[in-house]
Amino acid sequence: MRVRFAPSPTGALHIGGARAALYNHLAARGATRRGDPSTFVLRIEDTDRERSTEENVAQILDALQWLGLDWDEGPISQVSHEQRHREVVEDFLARGLAYRTTATGDDVKAWKEQHGQEKGYRGEDEGEGAVRLRVPEGETVVHDLIRGDTTFAHVHMDDPVIARADGSPLYNLAVAVDDIDLGITHVVRGEDHISNTPKQLLVYEALGVPAPIYAHLPLLHGPDGKKLSKRHGAASVQELRDAGYLPEAVINYLALLGWGDSDDQTILSRDELEERFDLARVTKHPARFDETKLKWLNGKYLREMSVDDLTARLEAHTGRTGLRGAVEISQEKIGTLDDFWPLAGFLFDGPKTDDAKAREQWLGEDGQRILGRVREVLAGLDPFDTETVEAALRELPQTLEAKPKAVFQAVRVALAGTTISPGLFESVALLGRDETLRRIDLASQGVPA
């Protein structure tokens, strides 16, 4: 098996493109595991010179590397094969399989008005202009692992343009020739390419080369059933990374979009995915990308990580060091790496100062009375650890004739500046006696810590 991922470097790697890359990768690696040495080729389809940039190529490579989708050959620049493409065009012209024409879009429209809108455009060789491939009589059948057979009657197909007037190749010619030259056996790509497939198969036929096996993947939709776009949240791999998602969680989630194992297992390691993945079991119905579900799955990955591993990732993500204690008490409450600092940042930077409502609700007259007693209790604790702090603070509601929530929220707002934090007792112990008392004193005076 030889598969390829062939993105156009006209922007960042979209989530749908990442899934296509993943399915190609899993198919190749899975075949190798089963004793069929397979190859995953990375080709950059950069024939659109105006929109294809080195920066976009770098973004694509960066996204694939972050996801851990290594390739065996490439990256291969499609434009570097232009001479080969031109040679094929000249061969087709010499054999009468293609012709040059100056026909414009309006000319094609006028031809159809005369011959019938349902008929594909047929031109005459003018010896100049763009190059069109002659569509023979008959039909083309696309055999697809996912969608089954689809028949395209040639009578409805326009003679496709395969090269510009200057001889430079167009997409359908270049893709087919490159796939042939690279020995690609399986073409796994989005279903938006289905309309291109019969045109590319005509190139295969003209060259007398057997067609590869096709597998057209269903497109990704948002939770509302509409085509996935920026309005649904993150749209590119880099956006997911910057939002604090783990690459292994993203891979796991993307793999299940349109494909799933029979045992309904949600968390699958890379090894398990490679062993189980089967293109024939990919659904032909659109899959829905739901960032809420991705975050839930990401949270499961975070909670299953060792504290040391999670700390290392959070320190790399935040650019801060010395986070282990805060990570240990926050791990159960975060869904992404981005969730950590809003939750636990107060432990390092002091209480938040933008939650006036919390201070007004919990640090009023009753709150000040509670904080006074809390300070007395905490000042005399020994040892100052989580268990001792918890035991002492849990006795206070009854002593103060107050609800537990009133006591605990007063302490939390004094220390964090807001009502959301990791476990209160763990936070107090981690801050230590001196810092805890300092913050309580400043909160009692109405001064931010």
Side-chain angles (χ1 to χ4, degrees):
M1 173 184 283
R2 285 178 62 84
V3 298
R4 49 72 161 180
F5 176 56
S8 298
T10 55
L13 182 59
H14 189 270
I15 293 170
R19 186 187 60 159
L22 172 61
Y23 280 15
N24 276 282
H25 192 271
L26 292 178
R29 296 296 180 260
T32 298
R33 283 176 178 271
R34 292 186 290 273
D36 175 19
S38 301
T39 304
F40 176 48
V41 180
L42 176 60
R43 184 175 72 227
I44 305 298
E45 297 189 341
D46 51 1
T47 52
D48 185 346
R49 303 310 295 164
E50 292 184 2
R51 299 177 61 205
S52 299
T53 67
E54 290 301 319
E55 180 183 7
N56 288 335
V57 172
Q59 284 192 84
I60 291 171
L61 299 184
D62 176 57
L64 293 174
Q65 289 165 344
W66 181 73
L67 290 170
L69 300 181
D70 57 320
W71 50 90
D72 304 306
E73 295 179 15
I76 299 169
S77 167
Q78 188 173 63
V79 76
S80 68
H81 294 170
E82 184 172 327
Q83 184 57 39
R84 162 66 171 153
H85 304 149
R86 287 176 177 269
E87 291 172 357
V88 171
V89 171
E90 290 302 320
D91 172 63
F92 287 175
L93 287 169
R95 290 195 285 145
L97 300 177
Y99 61 93
R100 289 188 176 277
T101 175
T102 61
T104 64
D106 287 340
D107 292 331
V108 172
K109 182 179 180 181
W111 188 95
K112 287 178 177 288
E113 288 176 351
Q114 180 180 356
H115 296 84
Q117 294 294 337
E118 77 285 355
K119 291 187 177 181
Y121 172 76
R122 302 290 182 264
E124 299 295 334
D125 189 353
E126 301 174 48
E128 61 179 345
V131 179
R132 286 181 180 265
L133 184 65
R134 295 188 187 278
V135 176
E137 294 183 359
E139 61 185 23
T140 291
V141 180
V142 177
H143 304 290
D144 193 292
L145 283 176
I146 297 171
R147 307 180 66 84
D149 289 352
T150 302
T151 301
F152 294 85
H154 290 178
V155 69
H156 303 307
M157 292 174 57
D158 294 339
D159 287 346
V161 180
I162 58 173
R164 302 178 183 87
D166 65 4
S168 58
L170 293 181
Y171 174 77
N172 285 309
L173 182 283
V175 166
V177 172
D178 284 351
D179 283 345
I180 291 170
D181 290 351
L182 288 170
I184 300 302
T185 62
H186 294 68
V187 175
V188 183
R189 59 189 182 185
E191 66 176 18
D192 51 326
H193 284 286
I194 288 179
S195 61
N196 292 322
T197 304
K199 302 172 188 176
Q200 292 164 19
L201 285 174
L202 290 177
V203 176
Y204 274 86
E205 182 179 345
L207 290 172
V209 179
I213 296 172
Y214 287 93
H216 287 98
L217 309 175
L219 299 182
L220 293 184
H221 288 182
D224 57 2
K226 297 180 180 179
K227 187 176 179 181
L228 188 65
S229 67
K230 292 282 288 185
R231 70 176 180 274
H232 296 112
S236 73
V237 172
Q238 273 87 357
E239 287 174 323
L240 290 177
R241 179 183 62 189
D242 294 345
Y245 289 96
L246 303 176
E248 52 265 54
V250 174
I251 285 290
N252 193 158
Y253 184 67
L254 289 180
L256 298 177
L257 288 180
W259 170 85
D261 204 75
S262 59
D263 64 4
D264 295 325
Q265 184 177 346
T266 301
I267 293 185
L268 293 168
S269 68
R270 183 67 64 90
D271 286 345
E272 290 173 315
L273 289 172
E274 291 177 3
E275 290 171 356
R276 300 184 184 188
F277 183 75
D278 182 358
L279 283 169
R281 296 192 60 240
V282 175
T283 178
K284 64 181 179 181
H285 304 294
R288 298 196 178 194
F289 178 87
D290 187 340
E291 196 166 338
T292 300
K293 292 182 179 178
L294 171 60
K295 186 170 184 177
W296 171 83
L297 182 61
N298 199 75
K300 289 180 70 70
Y301 269 88
L302 290 174
R303 288 186 287 278
E304 291 186 3
M305 295 173 70
S306 70
V307 175
D308 288 340
D309 188 4
L310 181 53
T311 298
R313 300 213 196 189
L314 279 166
E315 289 184 347
H317 187 73
T318 62
R320 303 289 287 259
T321 58
L323 303 184
R324 193 184 192 285
V327 171
E328 193 168 13
I329 67 174
S330 304
Q331 187 168 12
E332 294 297 316
K333 290 192 174 185
I334 59 175
T336 69
L337 299 179
D338 256 14
D339 289 343
F340 172 75
W341 203 256
L343 178 71
F346 76 94
L347 294 166
F348 305 91
D349 294 343
K352 297 179 180 179
T353 59
D354 59 351
D355 195 345
K357 182 178 180 181
R359 293 194 297 275
E360 180 181 349
Q361 181 176 3
W362 300 108
L363 298 183
E365 184 176 342
D366 285 343
Q368 296 299 333
R369 177 177 67 89
I370 290 170
L371 287 182
R373 182 58 182 147
V374 168
R375 191 194 194 287
E376 292 178 9
V377 169
L378 294 181
L381 286 187
D382 187 26
F384 202 84
D385 56 24
T386 299
E387 293 74 17
T388 310
V389 168
E390 180 174 1
L393 291 183
R394 286 198 180 281
E395 292 181 356
L396 285 179
Q398 185 174 358
T399 303
L400 293 167
E401 297 182 346
K403 294 181 179 180
K405 184 175 182 179
V407 174
F408 299 151
Q409 290 292 61
V411 177
R412 180 174 279 112
V413 174
L415 301 182
T418 186
T419 58
I420 300 173
S421 75
L424 177 61
F425 314 122
E426 294 85 352
S427 297
V428 170
L430 185 60
L431 282 171
R433 187 197 318 274
D434 291 346
E435 179 62 15
T436 297
L437 296 182
R438 185 185 78 84
R439 294 190 186 193
I440 288 176
D441 288 344
L442 291 172
S444 297
Q445 299 166 22
V447 179

